[in-house]
Amino acid sequence: MADVPDNAPEHCPGTTSEKAGTSASCQGCPNQSLCASGATKTPDPAIAEIGEKLSSVKHKILVLSGKGGVGKSTFSAHLAHALASDSTKEVALLDIDICGPSLPRILGVEGEQVHQSGSGWSPVYVEDNLSVMSIGFLLSSPDDAVIWRGPKKNGMIKQFLRDVDWGELDYLIVDTPPGTSDEHLSIVQYLSSTHVDGAVIITTPQEVSLQDVRKEIGFCRMVKLPIIGVVENMSGFVCPKCKNTSEIFPPTTGGAEKMCQDFNLTLLGKVPLDPRIGQSCDEGKSFLSEVPDSPAADVYRTIVHSIQEYCSKRVTGDQDTC
Amino acid sequence: MSSAAPLVQILANVRHVVLVLSGKGGVGKSTITTGLALALRQAGNKVGILDVDLCGPSIPRMLSVGRPDVHLCDAGWVPVYTDAQKSLALMSIGFLLDDPDKAVVWRGPKKTALISQFVSDVAWEELDVLLVDTPPGTSDEHLAVLENLKKHRVDGAVLVTTPQAVSTGDVRREITFCKKTGVPILGIIENMSGFVCPHCSECSNIFSKGGGEELAKLTGSVFLGCVPLDPQLSSSMEEGKDFMELFSNSATSTAIGGISQTLLQRLQTT
């Protein structure tokens, strides 16, 4: 049964929820007795199907942050570009930010269509060896809002994992929305019968960010998701005219560096603010190709290298390493 | 929880209710909510903030209220006041959590249930403006807030964006959300709008330029104004200090003050 069946009432808690069949919203629903009997709470068969489907993906990386606007999508896209710069590697991006899908624009493929074939949905190809799937491709207009409650968002994520024909991949990078909610629980749940290398956590230096990011770290520990490391974005701005550095988002409580010490995590790198990063994203271009000599690009490359090294220490089922 | 007075009775003391929305995360909704509240208070208004961001409630830190115990009275949850004159009241969903440092890892239905209760059960005293700070997106939290607040009246929403297309792209969807749910759009605010180097005064458009105004034109909305990127605004929010008092002569506080006045005028004439 679908997590939220078509004939379910508006506040359906989801057929696999603890409250399935017993919540106030269930009154009058045709599925109420079935849900209340517990029949719908058996493990979702999709989990095993997804495990099968993704067995051809060597490395899976989640990009997380408790906080919005710290550069998760920017980082995900550029991580993918950097990994795909090796033409022998196959890389894919999955955008599970259902309400705010940014990846199509950042990758320069806004407006592209997703096609269905016998083997499933085909993702959109940015390069020969770099593909992406996002709800953005399923919306007919840039003004379309996805006003969905949790269970429907979960259903979409399940479809992305189960029904997209990803093919053989070296890397699958999953870009997430801010927070610790349905999308995050679902991605961890649906990937539970596969091997996930770990999460890269993105933050900015200020405490208002870190206070949310610490919760995300707690979430990762709760669901036993390894943390590859932390990236501190927007870490200082060098004025192009006088070359003085300003801390626009001041690290009043020690920034990511202190947080990593406190939590015994690896600080992968500190990326400075560079207006050309945002500009490249708006234009759908890779910052790493547009301004390869910038200090920010250098830091990105170091971070990507660390992630590759981390992954290469994970051995996949067939003993193949990257 | 004791039975609360009917919602209509509680919010009857609140003259105007304004949602602060954005499709996009990290554009400064909480910063702008706090800044507008401080500006409106400075201009003599009684202001309340309702913080419904369950996963990342930022306002308590920005107003330096720490982790207060919250109490129930016959009419509902008593808000926390930031001063003895009771000119600025705050109720944050963070106050209801057992451990504010722990992640709230809840699915939609549970969030909806708490938010519905929370929004309906705050015993606001007389307020000129109640600002409602929201998380990014168009999902359970937003629907829950609207379903409950609309029983009273929602004057409308201000939408916060940053200048670049990746932001305005999400905010367009939030505008659709407002239109579909019947929330009037009071206006658009462009935050992080240029950075003036404190050393040489060169202006850098770190997050691009002009997107907020273009978005307003494109969608037929009112453009309320720009707020520049200002490290002193960020650090005041970090440290829970009143930016509008401390930096009253700055371009940033002039901008926020101007926007708050325009907003008040729009509220008083609609």
Side-chain angles (χ1 to χ4, degrees):
Chain A
M1 181 184 278
D3 200 33
V4 177
D6 290 336
N7 58 357
E10 212 200 330
H11 293 281
C12 168
T15 55
T16 53
S17 141
E18 296 159 12
K19 290 207 173 339
T22 59
S23 92
S25 328
C26 299
Q27 295 294 325
C29 172
N31 307 308
Q32 187 180 14
S33 8
L34 184 62
C35 290
S37 74
T40 53
K41 287 179 212 146
T42 50
D44 192 336
I47 296 176
E49 288 170 45
I50 290 166
E52 264 287 314
K53 191 80 186 245
L54 298 185
S55 57
S56 55
V57 177
K58 292 197 182 95
H59 300 287
K60 299 171 206 71
I61 299 166
L62 303 191
V63 180
L64 300 171
S65 179
K67 186 87 182 69
V70 296
K72 287 177 291 309
S73 299
T74 302
F75 181 78
S76 301
H78 288 86
L79 174 61
H81 274 301
L83 293 169
S85 64
D86 177 352
S87 58
T88 66
K89 301 291 181 205
E90 291 290 327
V91 182
L93 269 160
L94 172 59
D95 178 3
I96 62 166
D97 189 342
I98 307 288
C99 297
S102 309
L103 283 182
R105 172 183 289 277
I106 294 175
L107 294 165
V109 286
E110 209 173 25
E112 293 284 341
Q113 302 276 315
V114 160
H115 303 283
Q116 252 188 320
S117 71
S119 42
W121 292 359
S122 57
V124 170
Y125 280 84
V126 179
E127 320 264 356
D128 287 339
N129 64 335
L130 173 53
S131 63
V132 57
M133 179 52 92
S134 166
I135 199 170
F137 301 127
L138 306 178
L139 301 172
S140 45
S141 148
D143 292 314
D144 281 353
V146 179
I147 309 172
W148 290 358
R149 293 184 190 276
K152 205 163 170 186
K153 290 193 284 185
N154 301 336
M156 185 86 262
I157 292 169
K158 187 193 327 195
Q159 268 194 291
F160 280 158
L161 290 166
R162 189 190 56 198
D163 299 341
V164 171
D165 183 17
W166 295 108
E168 304 251 341
L169 290 176
D170 292 278
Y171 297 96
L172 175 65
I173 299 159
V174 183
D175 184 31
T176 64
T180 48
S181 188
D182 288 89
E183 296 89 332
H184 313 85
L185 283 167
S186 291
I187 192 73
V188 166
Q189 184 187 29
Y190 290 133
L191 291 178
S192 57
S193 63
T194 72
H195 168 73
V196 177
D197 292 65
V200 176
I201 304 217
I202 314 288
T203 186
T204 46
Q206 75 276 41
E207 176 60 23
V208 161
S209 278
L210 298 174
Q211 105 189 340
D212 288 351
V213 173
R214 287 189 202 100
K215 295 180 188 186
E216 198 76 13
I217 292 170
F219 167 79
C220 290
R221 290 183 170 166
M222 184 184 100
V223 300
K224 300 191 179 18
L225 177 62
I227 296 173
I228 300 173
V230 176
V231 172
E232 183 182 271
N233 252 348
M234 307 192 197
S235 197
F237 174 67
V238 178
C239 176
K241 189 172 174 201
C242 69
K243 311 295 180 201
N244 280 294
T245 302
S246 293
E247 304 222 276
I248 294 184
F249 301 111
T252 57
T253 56
E257 206 157 342
K258 171 94 182 15
M259 184 184 72
C260 286
Q261 278 164 14
D262 292 343
F263 285 82
N264 196 26
L265 293 172
T266 306
L267 179 61
L268 293 168
K270 291 161 69 160
V271 184
L273 264 170
D274 185 329
R276 297 168 296 184
I277 299 179
Q279 198 181 343
S280 303
C281 289
D282 275 0
E283 293 170 7
K285 297 177 182 158
S286 165
F287 170 75
L288 301 172
S289 316
E290 293 293 292
V291 204
D293 302 328
S294 69
D298 277 337
V299 178
Y300 259 106
R301 281 188 289 263
T302 310
I303 293 170
V304 172
H305 183 70
S306 303
I307 294 171
Q308 282 172 306
E309 288 221 323
Y310 178 96
C311 288
S312 69
K313 291 177 191 154
R314 317 309 265 188
V315 177
T316 56
D318 61 358
Q319 300 297 305
D320 207 359
T321 54
C322 67
Chain B
M1 188 174 291
S2 69
S3 60
L7 176 73
V8 169
Q9 197 174 324
I10 291 172
L11 287 182
N13 295 330
V14 176
R15 248 170 237 115
H16 301 289
V17 177
V18 177
L19 301 179
V20 181
L21 301 173
S22 179
K24 185 86 184 70
V27 297
K29 286 177 289 312
S30 300
T31 299
I32 293 291
T33 301
T34 303
L36 286 176
L38 294 169
L40 288 166
R41 174 176 71 172
Q42 212 177 43
N45 297 284
K46 283 200 179 293
V47 189
I49 301 180
L50 182 64
D51 174 8
V52 293
D53 190 344
L54 248 178
C55 294
S58 312
I59 310 267
R61 185 178 183 91
M62 294 179 176
L63 291 176
S64 205
V65 296
R67 290 177 199 177
D69 288 326
V70 280
H71 308 282
L72 274 171
C73 66
D74 285 342
W77 294 106
V78 179
V80 173
Y81 292 97
T82 60
D83 58 343
Q85 296 77 28
K86 293 188 170 185
S87 57
L88 179 46
L90 166 65
M91 192 56 185
S92 171
I93 204 154
F95 299 153
L96 302 186
L97 301 172
D98 290 330
D99 182 352
D101 291 331
K102 214 170 129 187
V104 172
V105 187
W106 294 355
R107 290 195 181 272
K110 198 169 173 181
K111 290 197 283 188
T112 295
L114 181 61
I115 287 173
S116 303
Q117 226 177 13
F118 171 70
V119 164
S120 305
D121 283 353
V122 180
W124 301 105
E125 291 185 25
E126 205 184 301
L127 290 179
D128 294 298
V129 182
L130 175 62
L131 297 166
V132 184
D133 186 29
T134 62
T138 49
S139 191
D140 299 85
E141 296 93 327
H142 311 85
L143 291 166
V145 166
L146 269 181
E147 272 164 17
N148 285 278
L149 282 181
K150 277 176 96 172
K151 293 170 194 165
H152 167 65
R153 183 177 76 122
V154 172
D155 291 65
V158 296
L159 287 130
V160 183
T161 187
T162 48
Q164 77 270 46
V166 166
S167 261
T168 58
D170 281 352
V171 179
R172 279 175 83 163
R173 303 189 198 280
E174 197 77 13
I175 289 172
T176 304
F177 170 82
C178 290
K179 289 178 176 169
K180 285 202 158 154
T181 52
V183 177
I185 294 170
L186 295 165
I188 293 176
I189 297 172
E190 181 180 282
N191 198 19
M192 306 197 198
S193 195
F195 171 68
V196 177
C197 177
H199 304 278
C200 70
S201 301
E202 167 88 350
C203 181
S204 295
N205 291 314
I206 298 183
F207 298 113
S208 187
K209 184 187 165 75
E213 209 157 353
E214 270 169 40
L215 179 65
K217 274 197 201 111
L218 182 70
T219 55
S221 314
V222 168
F223 185 62
L224 291 171
C226 294
V227 178
L229 251 178
D230 186 337
Q232 288 168 334
L233 179 63
S234 308
S235 48
S236 299
M237 292 295 161
E238 287 275 281
E239 292 160 16
K241 297 188 172 143
D242 187 337
F243 173 80
M244 297 301 292
E245 278 291 319
L246 288 173
F247 298 99
S248 50
N249 293 327
S250 67
T252 306
S253 68
T254 305
I256 295 176
I259 290 170
S260 71
Q261 285 310 302
T262 310
L263 176 62
L264 204 53
Q265 274 158 30
R266 279 183 66 63
L267 288 171
Q268 286 163 349
T269 54
T270 47

